[in-house]
Amino acid sequence: MMLIVFLILLIPTNIKAATVNTYLVCPTSANKGDTISCKINVTSDVTINGVAAKYNLGTNFTYVSFTPNTSSGFSSNYTSASGFSVGNNTGKNGTFTIGILKVKVNNPGSLSITNFDLSDTNFNAYTATNKTATIRLNSTNNDLGSLTTNQG
């Protein structure tokens, strides 16, 4: 009996799992040929000091640039048309922007950020789900030919 009580006292009662979420925030519409900016955000209750991910732009979008958010303390380790890797020596928690992805809109469609790999200041690894944004083209039809009125 004493052994059971002792074992119960050894079991931690306040276990908290880390929460790390990512977000892709893009405009919902644009004109064909426009360059749009998409924010890549993180919400975390652990101190994140590294993030890497890949882009899936398909043929509807053309990579322009990725710029780390230096105001959040992140600098670029690697950036290309296929993905990015950023780091922060002191780390960051809460809700913050990792960086800005700029793409040229060729056609309406979806773009996604995949294969998120995040790490905290203790070198623990975290993954996040893929994020997708759908961009539609603004209408260029300014023809009022289908407008009718009723006389009353």
Side-chain angles (χ1 to χ4, degrees), residues 17-44:
T19 301
V20 178
N21 293 307
T22 54
Y23 305 91
L24 177 61
V25 182
C26 299
T28 57
S29 64
N31 295 316
K32 189 171 185 171
D34 281 357
T35 296
I36 61 170
S37 297
C38 298
K39 289 183 180 181
I40 301 170
N41 297 336
V42 172
T43 298
S44 174

Side-chain angles (χ1 to χ4, degrees), residues 24 26-28 36 38 55-62 101 103-113 131-137:
L24 177 61
C26 299
T28 57
I36 61 170
C38 298
Y55 318 124
N56 183 358
L57 305 178
T59 58
N60 295 326
F61 304 93
T62 303
L101 171 65
V103 295
K104 180 181 173 187
V105 179
N106 302 323
N107 288 299
S110 296
L111 61 98
S112 58
I113 308 293
K131 301 301 176 188
T132 300
T134 300
I135 314 299
R136 64 176 181 79
L137 290 182

